[in-house]
Amino acid sequence: MEKNYHQLAELYKSTLLDNILPFWENYSIDSEEGGYFTCLDRTGKVYDTDKFIWLQNRQVWLFSMLYNQLEKRESWLNLAANGANFLAKHGTDDQGNWYFSLTRGGEALVQPYNIFSDCFAAMAFSQYAFASGEEWAKELALQSYSNVLRRQNDPKGKYNKTYPGTRPMKSLAVPMILANLSLEMEWLLDEDILDISWKEDFPKNFSLETTLDKTIKEVMGDFLDAELGLMFENVAPDASHVDCFEGRLINPGHGIEAMWFMMDIAQRRQDKQLIEKAVDVVLNILNFSWDKEYGGLYYFMDINGHPPQQLEWDQKLWWVHLESLVALAMGYRLTQREECWEWYEKMHDYTWNHFADAEYGEWFGYLNRRGEVLMNLKGGKWKGCFHVPRAMYMCWLQFERL
């Protein structure tokens, strides 16, 4: 592949605007009850009407972000409002914790056991508040963010199934999402906006910069094995490795996504050393997790080569490969390292040839190890209007800047 940045920028732009977004605009909007349908088959037909808080909030975020950053398109703001109003009405319990899922009409189905519901709510309502100017959305974003800060050391709280004290571990997912979320919330975390009343809900001496410092230290210190150059998914509280299923787990997609979050912070701070280190880790993970027989990245791996406990370990998933495209495009733009470009070409060929659906639009989510479509859904409980359009937008930006 020759380095035709203009052509690549056009590919991502046209795919986003003419293919991916129309699919969700046409098929996912619940105009009767509010919110979105995410369980869509290959053609866009709804096959289940339950509403999953992660995906509802992610879709609010996506259309609000595009309205804020790309074009003040009224239809995008209206689509974001359709989800935001539904979520504000039905999404939380009496204490302001976000449920995991709701019925179509908004009745609670699954308890607020998962901190990521709050993370994506904070992201969504921050962008929606910026787009709409609604004061209530701003307050909901700050409330959700303070929930995340409060729960970060005990994400599941009373819903945690593990026995306390036997084998304590912490997960990469929390600091990596907090890194991205805090940058997303930057405009709201300004000292003037974050007035005294809100400060009371936040940790003492809270500031955006100290929060970013903490997430960098944790991601690049505790979860990165300096010797192997790989990200571990779970470590002991003192950052040591634990010899068990969870302790040996490598999640390539998470590690790579975390690294472009680090690059994002590093760009803001003009920290070239952090950029180079993050790119090194991306390349290490790709070398470790690429399936040399069939191509593509494994979903889960065991650092010692033991059988992983996740039976779907060898599936090839859309988000893992899309996050890799973002990390490689960004890493190449920032460093011009040839190894980044070589891996980008390899990942581009695999991803565009296997996940894109030329017939019905949008992308498949789940392939078997050989790269054949395993489930031809376009959306479900975990796949919604987020990773595909975000990656299209992010890659378009990288190549446009190049």
Side-chain angles (χ1 to χ4, degrees), residues 12 54-55 58 61-62 65 120 123 172 176-177 180 184 251-264 278-279 281-283 285-286 289-290 297-299 316-332 340 343-344 347-348 350-352 355 363-365 382-396 398-399:
Y12 284 104
W54 288 24
L55 301 185
R58 284 171 158 188
W61 174 84
L62 194 276
M65 180 277 291
F120 295 122
M123 269 175 72
L172 168 64
M176 71 173 265
I177 202 83
N180 179 241
E184 280 283 334
N251 180 335
H254 257 175
I256 290 167
E257 187 179 11
M259 289 307 99
W260 81 250
F261 293 168
M262 292 295 107
M263 288 183 227
D264 220 16
V279 170
V281 176
V282 170
L283 297 173
I285 295 172
L286 291 169
S289 59
W290 182 261
L297 300 174
Y298 291 113
Y299 190 19
K316 310 293 166 63
L317 266 71
W318 85 107
W319 72 267
V320 175
H321 295 76
L322 284 159
E323 298 305 326
S324 302
L325 287 176
V326 174
L328 287 164
M330 189 184 286
Y332 179 72
C340 270
W343 265 111
Y344 172 78
M347 192 63 65
H348 179 100
Y350 182 87
T351 304
W352 283 87
F355 289 100
W363 283 31
F364 298 115
W382 304 108
K383 183 181 188 291
C385 181
F386 184 65
H387 284 286
V388 181
R390 181 176 74 169
M392 295 297 134
Y393 180 65
M394 292 294 294
C395 288
W396 167 20
Q398 308 314 308
F399 290 115

XYZ file of all heavy atoms in Angstrom, residues 12 54-55 58 61-62 65 120 123 172 176-177 180 184 251-264 278-279 281-283 285-286 289-290 297-299 316-332 340 343-344 347-348 350-352 355 363-365 382-396 398-399:
766
model
N -11.931 6.798 4.991
C -12.522 6.810 6.332
C -13.681 7.807 6.420
O -14.714 7.523 7.025
C -11.459 7.106 7.387
C -10.560 5.925 7.669
C -9.254 5.863 7.173
C -11.014 4.856 8.433
C -8.437 4.770 7.429
C -10.209 3.759 8.701
C -8.915 3.721 8.194
O -8.116 2.636 8.445
N -24.471 1.063 28.600
C -23.206 1.394 27.922
C -23.495 1.920 26.528
O -22.993 2.962 26.110
C -22.339 0.148 27.744
C -21.697 -0.422 28.942
C -22.089 -0.288 30.246
C -20.533 -1.245 28.953
N -21.242 -1.002 31.055
C -20.288 -1.592 30.296
C -19.683 -1.733 27.956
C -19.208 -2.407 30.675
C -18.625 -2.540 28.333
C -18.385 -2.865 29.674
N -24.281 1.135 25.775
C -24.476 1.443 24.356
C -25.373 2.646 24.142
O -25.182 3.413 23.193
C -25.045 0.214 23.637
C -24.180 -1.056 23.705
C -24.792 -2.160 22.853
C -22.749 -0.787 23.259
N -23.089 5.578 24.838
C -22.080 5.712 23.783
C -22.666 6.349 22.526
O -21.997 7.112 21.838
C -21.487 4.333 23.455
C -20.490 3.839 24.496
C -20.120 2.396 24.241
N -18.835 2.050 24.861
C -18.217 0.897 24.664
N -18.752 -0.033 23.887
N -17.052 0.651 25.251
N -23.059 9.996 23.140
C -21.720 10.598 23.019
C -21.338 10.792 21.547
O -20.878 11.868 21.160
C -20.672 9.707 23.709
C -19.283 10.210 23.474
C -18.625 11.179 24.178
C -18.386 9.810 22.424
N -17.377 11.404 23.639
C -17.207 10.575 22.558
C -18.457 8.880 21.393
C -16.123 10.441 21.705
C -17.379 8.744 20.531
C -16.222 9.515 20.691
N -21.542 9.749 20.753
C -21.080 9.764 19.364
C -21.728 10.894 18.568
O -21.035 11.691 17.922
C -21.375 8.395 18.741
C -20.717 8.004 17.402
C -21.461 8.533 16.198
C -19.237 8.359 17.341
N -20.645 14.311 19.985
C -19.252 14.599 19.616
C -19.158 15.061 18.162
O -18.467 16.041 17.841
C -18.396 13.350 19.860
C -16.914 13.504 19.525
S -16.493 13.260 17.767
C -16.781 11.505 17.562
N -19.454 5.888 30.874
C -19.995 6.269 29.573
C -21.092 7.324 29.704
O -21.301 8.129 28.794
C -20.454 5.038 28.801
C -19.307 4.118 28.452
C -19.284 2.797 28.866
C -18.222 4.590 27.728
C -18.211 1.968 28.571
C -17.144 3.780 27.423
C -17.137 2.458 27.837
N -19.171 10.618 29.961
C -18.716 10.976 28.611
C -19.859 11.537 27.783
O -19.743 12.582 27.139
C -18.176 9.735 27.881
C -16.705 9.471 28.044
S -16.227 7.899 27.254
C -16.348 8.303 25.518
N -6.886 -3.122 34.678
C -6.443 -2.067 33.761
C -7.611 -1.225 33.252
O -7.469 -0.033 32.986
C -5.719 -2.709 32.563
C -5.412 -1.817 31.351
C -4.433 -0.707 31.731
C -4.854 -2.638 30.192
N -7.505 3.059 32.559
C -7.441 3.427 31.134
C -8.682 4.227 30.733
O -8.593 5.203 30.012
C -7.241 2.200 30.231
C -8.403 1.272 30.108
S -8.143 -0.030 28.851
C -8.932 0.700 27.417
N -9.858 3.802 31.246
C -11.080 4.533 30.881
C -11.102 5.892 31.563
O -11.582 6.878 31.002
C -12.343 3.708 31.209
C -13.535 4.188 30.367
C -12.729 3.762 32.659
C -13.608 3.637 28.996
N -9.103 8.429 29.432
C -9.861 8.919 28.286
C -11.023 9.810 28.729
O -11.259 10.885 28.172
C -10.363 7.722 27.480
C -11.185 8.133 26.272
O -12.360 7.778 26.160
N -10.603 8.868 25.351
N -11.989 13.771 27.950
C -13.311 14.079 27.403
C -14.019 15.171 28.212
O -14.741 15.997 27.680
C -14.195 12.819 27.434
C -13.948 11.850 26.321
C -14.554 12.300 25.016
O -15.539 13.060 25.028
O -14.023 11.916 23.966
N -5.134 -8.969 27.352
C -6.266 -8.567 26.520
C -5.716 -7.574 25.491
O -5.616 -6.379 25.757
C -7.330 -7.917 27.417
C -8.567 -7.462 26.661
O -8.515 -7.183 25.474
N -9.681 -7.366 27.353
N -5.293 -8.077 24.307
C -4.598 -7.212 23.335
C -5.343 -5.935 22.986
O -4.760 -4.854 22.912
C -4.433 -8.123 22.116
C -4.424 -9.506 22.689
C -5.393 -9.466 23.835
N -6.655 -6.047 22.793
C -7.449 -4.868 22.412
C -7.411 -3.788 23.471
O -7.247 -2.599 23.161
N -7.555 -4.179 24.744
C -7.512 -3.213 25.834
C -6.156 -2.534 25.907
O -6.061 -1.318 26.079
C -7.780 -3.910 27.173
C -9.151 -3.679 27.684
N -9.633 -4.286 28.814
C -10.166 -2.887 27.235
C -10.876 -3.899 29.034
N -11.222 -3.061 28.084
N -5.086 -3.337 25.811
C -3.735 -2.777 25.894
C -3.482 -1.752 24.803
O -2.925 -0.676 25.046
N -3.919 -2.076 23.582
C -3.692 -1.177 22.440
C -4.545 0.083 22.561
O -4.061 1.203 22.321
C -3.962 -1.924 21.119
C -2.862 -2.972 20.897
C -4.048 -0.963 19.941
C -3.159 -3.979 19.804
N -5.803 -0.076 22.966
C -6.684 1.090 23.144
C -6.122 2.011 24.233
O -6.101 3.238 24.087
C -8.094 0.623 23.520
C -9.122 1.739 23.569
C -10.518 1.244 23.933
O -10.675 0.074 24.353
O -11.467 2.042 23.809
N -5.648 1.405 25.320
C -5.061 2.198 26.410
C -3.874 3.025 25.915
O -3.657 4.157 26.368
C -4.621 1.289 27.558
N -3.120 2.475 24.962
C -1.934 3.184 24.474
C -2.292 4.394 23.618
O -1.591 5.400 23.639
C -1.014 2.229 23.703
C -0.290 1.218 24.590
S 0.634 1.952 25.982
C -0.506 1.704 27.337
N -3.398 4.316 22.866
C -3.729 5.557 22.132
C -4.324 6.588 23.072
O -4.190 7.799 22.837
C -4.490 5.318 20.847
C -5.964 5.068 20.794
C -6.568 3.892 20.491
C -7.040 6.027 20.954
N -7.945 4.052 20.471
C -8.257 5.346 20.757
C -7.089 7.392 21.255
C -9.502 5.971 20.839
C -8.324 8.021 21.343
C -9.510 7.318 21.137
N -4.946 6.150 24.166
C -5.357 7.110 25.195
C -4.123 7.813 25.773
O -4.143 9.019 26.023
C -6.112 6.412 26.332
C -7.463 5.844 25.953
C -8.128 4.981 26.824
C -8.090 6.163 24.748
C -9.371 4.461 26.513
C -9.335 5.642 24.421
C -9.978 4.784 25.307
N -3.060 7.036 25.999
C -1.817 7.620 26.520
C -1.219 8.609 25.511
O -0.747 9.685 25.874
C -0.791 6.517 26.827
C -1.143 5.592 27.986
S -1.207 6.420 29.601
C -2.989 6.447 29.885
N -1.246 8.236 24.232
C -0.731 9.147 23.184
C -1.531 10.442 23.159
O -0.977 11.525 22.937
C -0.802 8.481 21.805
C 0.196 7.375 21.564
S 0.015 6.761 19.851
C 0.012 5.001 20.115
N -2.837 10.327 23.366
C -3.728 11.486 23.371
C -3.319 12.468 24.481
O -3.213 13.682 24.251
C -5.167 11.003 23.607
C -6.173 11.740 22.748
O -5.761 12.397 21.780
O -7.376 11.653 23.051
N 4.495 4.537 24.402
C 3.190 3.978 24.060
C 3.237 3.247 22.716
O 2.664 2.159 22.563
C 2.136 5.086 24.027
N 3.944 3.823 21.740
C 4.080 3.177 20.431
C 4.856 1.862 20.566
O 4.472 0.841 19.964
C 4.760 4.123 19.418
C 5.130 3.377 18.137
C 3.829 5.292 19.085
N 4.857 -0.120 23.065
C 3.950 -1.113 23.662
C 2.958 -1.627 22.626
O 2.694 -2.833 22.549
C 3.217 -0.526 24.895
C 2.198 -1.529 25.443
C 4.212 -0.148 25.988
N 2.403 -0.732 21.808
C 1.481 -1.156 20.741
C 2.152 -2.194 19.850
O 1.579 -3.260 19.559
C 1.006 0.051 19.893
C 0.255 -0.426 18.643
C 0.111 0.970 20.718
N 3.380 -1.913 19.429
C 4.096 -2.825 18.529
C 4.403 -4.148 19.222
O 4.291 -5.222 18.609
C 5.382 -2.159 18.025
C 5.168 -0.883 17.185
C 6.494 -0.204 16.879
C 4.407 -1.191 15.894
N 2.601 -5.551 21.637
C 1.341 -6.299 21.760
C 0.974 -6.937 20.416
O 0.554 -8.097 20.350
C 0.189 -5.386 22.248
C 0.461 -4.898 23.675
C -1.147 -6.127 22.191
C -0.519 -3.826 24.169
N 1.141 -6.180 19.332
C 0.811 -6.717 18.005
C 1.688 -7.916 17.665
O 1.200 -8.934 17.156
C 0.966 -5.625 16.945
C -0.059 -4.490 17.012
C 0.340 -3.345 16.091
C -1.452 -4.985 16.661
N 0.409 -10.873 19.810
C -0.962 -11.380 19.720
C -1.461 -11.613 18.295
O -2.613 -12.012 18.113
C -1.919 -10.419 20.445
O -1.848 -9.123 19.884
N -0.634 -11.383 17.293
C -1.059 -11.628 15.914
C -1.118 -13.134 15.650
O -0.189 -13.865 15.987
C -0.090 -10.972 14.940
C -0.462 -11.125 13.487
C 0.041 -12.026 12.602
C -1.434 -10.355 12.763
N -0.546 -11.867 11.366
C -1.454 -10.847 11.434
C -2.283 -9.302 13.108
C -2.291 -10.328 10.455
C -3.118 -8.784 12.123
C -3.120 -9.283 10.816
N -5.938 -10.509 15.290
C -5.484 -10.508 16.685
C -6.379 -11.393 17.539
O -7.601 -11.339 17.436
C -5.509 -9.085 17.245
C -4.636 -8.053 16.534
C -4.888 -6.666 17.112
C -3.162 -8.409 16.640
N -5.737 -12.195 18.387
C -6.507 -12.988 19.348
C -7.249 -12.066 20.310
O -6.794 -10.958 20.603
C -5.574 -13.897 20.146
C -4.964 -15.015 19.353
C -3.590 -15.051 19.089
C -5.754 -16.060 18.867
C -3.015 -16.090 18.363
C -5.186 -17.102 18.136
C -3.823 -17.106 17.896
O -3.267 -18.134 17.174
N -8.366 -12.558 20.833
C -9.176 -11.764 21.761
C -8.584 -11.797 23.168
O -8.456 -10.762 23.822
C -10.606 -12.312 21.740
C -11.638 -11.480 22.463
C -11.414 -10.129 22.765
C -12.855 -12.044 22.820
C -12.385 -9.380 23.420
C -13.832 -11.290 23.471
C -13.587 -9.964 23.777
O -14.548 -9.229 24.420
N -11.948 -13.298 16.517
C -11.421 -12.028 16.039
C -12.562 -11.008 16.144
O -13.596 -11.155 15.487
C -10.918 -12.149 14.591
C -9.974 -13.351 14.359
C -8.654 -13.215 15.086
C -7.839 -14.491 15.175
N -7.401 -15.058 13.898
N -12.369 -9.982 16.970
C -13.442 -9.022 17.256
C -13.195 -7.667 16.603
O -12.049 -7.200 16.531
C -13.614 -8.842 18.773
C -14.693 -9.755 19.382
C -14.240 -11.206 19.390
C -15.068 -9.304 20.778
N -14.289 -7.051 16.184
C -14.245 -5.762 15.480
C -13.485 -4.701 16.260
O -12.611 -4.025 15.706
C -15.675 -5.321 15.166
C -16.405 -4.587 16.256
C -16.684 -3.256 16.276
C -16.932 -5.109 17.491
N -17.364 -2.912 17.434
C -17.521 -4.035 18.188
C -16.970 -6.371 18.073
C -18.124 -4.197 19.435
C -17.580 -6.531 19.307
C -18.141 -5.459 19.969
N -13.805 -4.536 17.546
C -13.260 -3.393 18.294
C -11.761 -3.524 18.499
O -11.044 -2.525 18.486
C -14.007 -3.186 19.612
C -13.746 -4.201 20.693
C -14.462 -5.328 20.936
C -12.707 -4.153 21.678
N -13.943 -5.999 22.012
C -12.873 -5.307 22.494
C -11.671 -3.257 21.959
C -12.028 -5.588 23.564
C -10.820 -3.538 23.030
C -10.993 -4.686 23.810
N -11.283 -4.745 18.670
C -9.852 -4.971 18.876
C -9.068 -4.470 17.661
O -8.037 -3.783 17.794
C -9.582 -6.474 19.112
C -8.093 -6.758 19.217
C -10.328 -6.968 20.354
N -9.568 -4.785 16.486
C -8.864 -4.424 15.246
C -9.036 -2.944 14.914
O -8.095 -2.294 14.425
C -9.345 -5.327 14.110
C -8.970 -6.759 14.329
N -9.628 -7.573 15.232
C -7.961 -7.507 13.798
C -9.043 -8.756 15.251
N -8.037 -8.749 14.388
N -10.214 -2.397 15.208
C -10.427 -0.968 14.961
C -9.576 -0.105 15.879
O -8.993 0.898 15.442
C -11.909 -0.630 15.138
C -12.798 -1.072 13.969
C -14.240 -1.192 14.398
C -12.673 -0.107 12.792
N -9.473 -0.479 17.159
C -8.624 0.284 18.081
C -7.163 0.206 17.654
O -6.394 1.154 17.846
C -8.797 -0.214 19.518
C -10.199 -0.058 20.092
C -10.737 1.364 20.022
O -9.951 2.319 20.158
O -11.960 1.536 19.820
N -6.780 -0.915 17.056
C -5.408 -1.052 16.541
C -5.154 -0.111 15.368
O -4.078 0.491 15.256
C -5.147 -2.503 16.110
O -5.340 -3.381 17.192
N -6.153 0.025 14.479
C -6.015 0.969 13.365
C -5.821 2.395 13.882
O -4.973 3.144 13.380
C -7.251 0.918 12.462
C -7.422 -0.309 11.568
C -8.740 -0.240 10.813
C -6.254 -0.444 10.583
N -6.609 2.770 14.899
C -6.476 4.118 15.478
C -5.087 4.301 16.073
O -4.407 5.300 15.814
C -7.554 4.362 16.564
C -7.319 5.697 17.265
C -8.951 4.328 15.955
N -4.649 3.335 16.883
C -3.349 3.443 17.563
C -2.202 3.510 16.559
O -1.250 4.281 16.731
C -3.158 2.261 18.511
N -2.293 2.718 15.495
C -1.213 2.692 14.503
C -1.199 3.967 13.654
O -0.132 4.512 13.366
C -1.348 1.459 13.609
C -0.984 0.140 14.306
C -1.509 -1.051 13.518
C 0.538 0.032 14.502
N -2.380 4.434 13.249
C -2.442 5.678 12.470
C -1.929 6.848 13.306
O -1.147 7.679 12.824
C -3.870 5.936 11.995
N -2.344 6.897 14.571
C -1.901 7.968 15.454
C -0.406 7.844 15.752
O 0.339 8.834 15.699
C -2.702 7.924 16.762
C -2.479 9.109 17.676
S -3.368 8.954 19.260
C -5.060 9.263 18.762
N 0.031 6.617 16.038
C 1.448 6.391 16.333
C 2.337 6.752 15.158
O 3.399 7.361 15.330
N 1.887 6.407 13.943
C 2.682 6.744 12.758
C 2.729 8.259 12.538
O 3.783 8.833 12.262
C 2.119 6.048 11.512
C 2.905 6.396 10.275
C 4.191 5.890 10.085
C 2.397 7.277 9.332
C 4.941 6.243 8.965
C 3.126 7.636 8.213
C 4.406 7.113 8.042
O 5.142 7.477 6.939
N 5.465 1.203 12.416
C 4.047 1.563 12.591
C 3.308 1.462 11.268
O 2.181 0.951 11.203
C 3.915 3.002 13.107
S 3.900 3.140 14.873
N 2.838 -2.206 10.145
C 1.751 -2.841 10.888
C 0.401 -2.242 10.487
O -0.599 -2.954 10.422
C 1.959 -2.689 12.401
C 2.637 -3.887 13.003
C 3.901 -3.961 13.512
C 2.075 -5.199 13.166
N 4.169 -5.226 13.976
C 3.057 -6.009 13.779
C 0.840 -5.772 12.849
C 2.841 -7.359 14.080
C 0.617 -7.116 13.144
C 1.604 -7.887 13.756
N 0.380 -0.953 10.219
C -0.887 -0.336 9.786
C -1.367 -1.005 8.490
O -2.550 -1.357 8.370
C -0.762 1.189 9.575
C -2.031 1.710 8.954
C -3.167 1.913 9.733
C -2.149 1.848 7.565
C -4.377 2.257 9.158
C -3.356 2.186 6.984
C -4.465 2.399 7.788
O -5.666 2.703 7.202
N -2.751 -4.454 9.253
C -4.007 -4.375 9.988
C -5.126 -3.846 9.090
O -6.265 -4.310 9.154
C -3.825 -3.470 11.217
C -4.965 -3.532 12.205
S -5.193 -5.164 12.940
C -3.673 -5.339 13.856
N -4.801 -2.867 8.257
C -5.783 -2.299 7.328
C -6.322 -3.385 6.405
O -7.537 -3.524 6.235
C -5.130 -1.179 6.511
C -6.054 -0.551 5.498
N -6.697 0.647 5.720
C -6.445 -0.961 4.260
C -7.448 0.940 4.661
N -7.298 -0.013 3.772
N -6.317 -6.680 6.731
C -7.113 -7.692 7.422
C -8.482 -7.134 7.806
O -9.521 -7.756 7.572
C -6.385 -8.196 8.684
C -7.155 -9.283 9.388
C -6.996 -10.616 9.028
C -8.099 -8.974 10.371
C -7.746 -11.624 9.627
C -8.860 -9.976 10.983
C -8.678 -11.296 10.608
O -9.432 -12.275 11.206
N -8.489 -5.960 8.384
C -9.715 -5.388 8.939
C -10.734 -5.059 7.853
O -11.906 -5.435 7.944
C -9.368 -4.132 9.762
O -8.422 -4.493 10.768
C -10.584 -3.556 10.445
N -10.301 -4.352 6.831
C -11.235 -3.940 5.779
C -11.724 -5.138 4.962
O -12.843 -5.132 4.447
C -10.593 -2.893 4.876
C -10.571 -1.538 5.523
C -9.602 -1.044 6.355
C -11.575 -0.522 5.437
N -9.943 0.217 6.782
C -11.146 0.567 6.236
C -12.799 -0.424 4.760
C -11.895 1.729 6.381
C -13.540 0.737 4.896
C -13.095 1.802 5.692
N -14.122 -7.425 8.105
C -15.206 -6.900 8.941
C -16.229 -6.057 8.179
O -17.399 -6.012 8.554
C -14.641 -6.075 10.107
C -13.944 -6.893 11.156
C -12.554 -6.990 11.176
C -14.665 -7.574 12.124
C -11.909 -7.744 12.143
C -14.028 -8.333 13.106
C -12.642 -8.423 13.107
N -20.362 -2.806 9.917
C -19.334 -3.847 9.977
C -19.794 -5.012 10.833
O -20.532 -4.836 11.802
C -18.042 -3.258 10.569
C -17.260 -2.420 9.590
C -17.763 -1.673 8.556
C -15.844 -2.246 9.554
N -16.739 -1.043 7.886
C -15.554 -1.371 8.476
C -14.791 -2.732 10.333
C -14.247 -0.981 8.150
C -13.492 -2.342 10.018
C -13.224 -1.474 8.930
N -19.326 -6.202 10.457
C -19.539 -7.367 11.305
C -18.715 -7.206 12.586
O -17.699 -6.515 12.591
C -19.119 -8.648 10.577
C -19.905 -8.918 9.322
C -19.294 -8.909 8.083
C -21.268 -9.171 9.393
C -20.027 -9.158 6.919
C -22.010 -9.410 8.236
C -21.388 -9.412 6.999
N -19.151 -7.865 13.636
C -18.449 -7.737 14.912
C -17.618 -8.939 15.305
O -16.577 -8.797 15.928
N -23.241 -5.835 23.276
C -21.935 -5.193 23.458
C -21.519 -4.327 22.273
O -20.705 -3.429 22.419
C -20.850 -6.263 23.692
C -21.166 -7.159 24.859
C -21.558 -8.469 24.801
C -21.149 -6.804 26.247
N -21.778 -8.950 26.074
C -21.540 -7.957 26.975
C -20.850 -5.639 26.952
C -21.633 -7.970 28.374
C -20.941 -5.664 28.338
C -21.331 -6.816 29.033
N -22.051 -4.613 21.109
C -21.670 -3.841 19.910
C -22.775 -2.838 19.592
O -23.929 -3.217 19.403
C -21.450 -4.772 18.714
C -20.978 -4.043 17.448
C -20.788 -5.008 16.290
C -20.146 -4.328 15.098
N -21.000 -3.345 14.429
N -22.417 -1.581 19.538
C -23.385 -0.541 19.211
C -22.760 0.509 18.321
O -21.783 0.252 17.612
N -23.316 1.699 18.384
C -22.847 2.819 17.546
C -21.698 3.526 18.269
O -21.887 4.603 18.837
C -24.015 3.763 17.295
S -23.599 5.157 16.257
N -20.512 2.900 18.245
C -19.383 3.480 18.984
C -18.029 3.167 18.354
O -17.438 4.032 17.718
C -19.425 2.996 20.440
C -18.357 3.600 21.322
C -18.355 4.965 21.586
C -17.373 2.810 21.887
C -17.369 5.528 22.404
C -16.388 3.360 22.706
C -16.388 4.722 22.962
N -17.533 1.938 18.498
C -16.162 1.650 18.053
C -15.965 1.875 16.554
O -14.936 2.423 16.150
C -15.763 0.215 18.416
C -15.448 0.022 19.858
N -14.273 0.480 20.439
C -16.148 -0.570 20.859
C -14.273 0.162 21.729
N -15.394 -0.461 22.014
N -16.939 1.447 15.740
C -16.758 1.606 14.286
C -16.757 3.091 13.900
O -15.783 3.570 13.308
C -17.812 0.815 13.478
C -17.565 0.998 11.978
C -17.773 -0.670 13.825
N -17.803 3.858 14.254
C -17.768 5.274 13.844
C -16.647 6.072 14.510
O -16.060 6.944 13.866
C -19.141 5.805 14.250
C -19.702 4.833 15.218
C -19.104 3.506 14.863
N -16.332 5.776 15.776
C -15.236 6.513 16.421
C -13.918 6.251 15.698
O -13.142 7.179 15.443
C -15.112 6.124 17.904
C -13.994 6.906 18.610
C -13.896 6.620 20.101
N -13.317 5.316 20.393
C -12.931 4.934 21.611
N -13.090 5.735 22.658
N -12.410 3.733 21.811
N -13.664 4.984 15.353
C -12.416 4.652 14.651
C -12.366 5.305 13.267
O -11.312 5.793 12.839
C -12.260 3.143 14.537
N -13.489 5.314 12.559
C -13.531 5.972 11.240
C -13.170 7.449 11.388
O -12.382 7.997 10.608
C -14.923 5.849 10.614
C -15.358 4.449 10.263
S -14.326 3.654 9.018
C -14.093 2.041 9.774
N -13.761 8.083 12.390
C -13.508 9.512 12.610
C -12.054 9.754 13.018
O -11.388 10.645 12.479
C -14.464 10.047 13.675
C -14.275 11.520 13.970
C -14.532 12.479 12.988
C -13.817 11.948 15.214
C -14.352 13.825 13.248
C -13.635 13.299 15.478
C -13.901 14.236 14.494
O -13.715 15.562 14.749
N -11.550 8.950 13.948
C -10.175 9.135 14.442
C -9.144 8.890 13.336
O -8.178 9.641 13.210
C -9.904 8.194 15.619
C -10.681 8.501 16.890
S -10.222 10.078 17.641
C -8.536 9.740 18.141
N -9.359 7.837 12.539
C -8.400 7.545 11.460
C -8.469 8.613 10.370
O -7.443 9.026 9.823
C -8.652 6.156 10.874
S -8.173 4.812 11.978
N -9.667 9.076 10.066
C -9.829 10.179 9.117
C -9.005 11.382 9.591
O -8.243 11.978 8.802
C -11.318 10.499 8.996
C -11.679 11.783 8.310
C -10.897 12.527 7.459
C -12.935 12.478 8.405
N -11.599 13.637 7.039
C -12.833 13.631 7.590
C -14.124 12.229 9.081
C -13.884 14.541 7.457
C -15.182 13.120 8.946
C -15.055 14.263 8.136
N -6.361 11.441 11.589
C -4.908 11.185 11.516
C -4.387 11.386 10.098
O -3.373 12.045 9.878
C -4.554 9.770 12.010
C -5.079 9.376 13.375
C -4.880 10.422 14.431
O -3.770 10.935 14.644
N -5.962 10.798 15.118
N -5.093 10.800 9.130
C -4.612 10.874 7.745
C -4.801 12.270 7.163
O -4.001 12.714 6.325
C -5.255 9.784 6.898
C -4.759 8.413 7.252
C -5.594 7.460 7.787
C -3.414 8.093 7.075
C -5.113 6.213 8.159
C -2.923 6.845 7.431
C -3.780 5.901 7.968
